[in-house]
Amino acid sequence: KCCDRNPPSISQMERGGTTMMDNGRYYIEKLTEFDDHDFVSFIHNGKTGLSGFIAIHRGSATRPSFGATRFWQYASEGDALSDALRLSRMMSYKAALAGLPYGGAKAVILQHGDLTPTQRKKLFRSYAEKVNYFAGRFITGTDVGMNQSDIKAMARVSPYFVGLKVDPTKYTAIGLFHSIKACLDEVYGSPEIRDRSFAIQGLGKIGYELLRQLYREGGRITVAEINIERLDAVKRAFPRIEITTPQLIHTQKVDVFSPCALNHSLTFKNISKLRCAMIVGGANNQLETDEVGELLNKLGILYAPDYVVNAGGLISVVDEYENKTFSADRLKRRIARVGENVKKILHQSRLQKKATNTIANDMAQKIFNAK
């Protein structure tokens, strides 16, 4: 449970007032993100520049744990480790409420500057070789920083990659769309998208696909994206959208605010500026802390827990893993469970007068801790 190689400084490894350093080593179990994880591994290959972590939050002797791989420029190994722990835990919650009998996991790889195509290929090949060490206990796919070409190349080295026969982005957005309709029905008594207003934060894979679906249904949409070239292309493709800055997107007066960028988009500092009726987004770990969810509840803003609404991608790759042939009807039925789960959580939130994230967390923990 400890990592000896070049540990970050004390200042880098302090989170929530707890110091993780002791005699030049830092201890994973002292990190606030650690949740009695089953397994945490540091992965390294000096020849290819590979360094990162694979974290398995929950698993079993008979079933693997699922979690995509993130390729990102972290400030330190400590930050990468914290992200792996946080995201793997979230994957257990996601799998539990999606009705999937698997554990949660996550891999993060530190990106050190730009890579040539050859360097990138070698790095990911060496990563796929590390995945093989787990002998099928860890099943992974693409996350932020990776693309389909990467996953196809790694699948030639390791049989434990998914997302080759289905597009997880598409099904994440479909599940998110179901969730938005469930929340609209809860607040307004109708799931109708037309003429409702939306603010989408981030136009990456999920944000773009969600925009496409909402636009088709006649929603009034405001977007923000840090990539100016991508923003220009999106405006040409969807001329009716409005554009604002990333700094102001959460302040828009809309029915639905949809965070689809990176984590911690909802903080103690910014939620007082929200002017939306509900929050339903595709980003992972949107809440800075669980207490932010409690405050949203007190403010009367409906929050749909992120790991519930964005479970469509996980459901799709699990379906690929379990079945030799693709069935659109079968997958459609499985994705529909996302919206049904949102309705159950909203109902229990009303009934128990508790925040939606508290309800969802309790439901998920009872499932995965009972295994």
Side-chain angles (χ1 to χ4, degrees), residues 170-189:
K170 173 183 176 181
Y171 293 103
T172 300
I174 291 174
L176 187 53
F177 189 73
H178 283 309
S179 301
I180 287 174
K181 296 185 80 169
C183 291
L184 287 173
D185 194 37
E186 171 74 13
V187 174
Y188 299 120

Side-chain angles (χ1 to χ4, degrees), residues 5-17:
R5 181 185 174 276
N6 298 327
S9 66
I10 290 176
S11 62
Q12 289 174 320
M13 291 300 296
E14 287 183 347
R15 294 291 185 274

Side-chain angles (χ1 to χ4, degrees), residues 173-211:
I174 291 174
L176 187 53
F177 189 73
H178 283 309
S179 301
I180 287 174
K181 296 185 80 169
C183 291
L184 287 173
D185 194 37
E186 171 74 13
V187 174
Y188 299 120
S190 169
E192 184 64 42
I193 297 292
R194 180 170 296 279
D195 295 328
R196 290 294 175 193
S197 53
F198 303 86
I200 302 177
Q201 180 186 51
L203 295 173
K205 298 174 183 177
I206 305 302
Y208 183 89
E209 183 63 23
L210 176 62
L211 166 61

Side-chain angles (χ1 to χ4, degrees), residues 242-259:
E242 298 293 328
I243 296 173
T244 189
T245 65
Q247 294 76 24
L248 294 176
I249 185 65
H250 66 288
T251 68
Q252 303 303 301
K253 186 173 177 55
V254 292
D255 296 310
V256 183
F257 172 48
S258 189

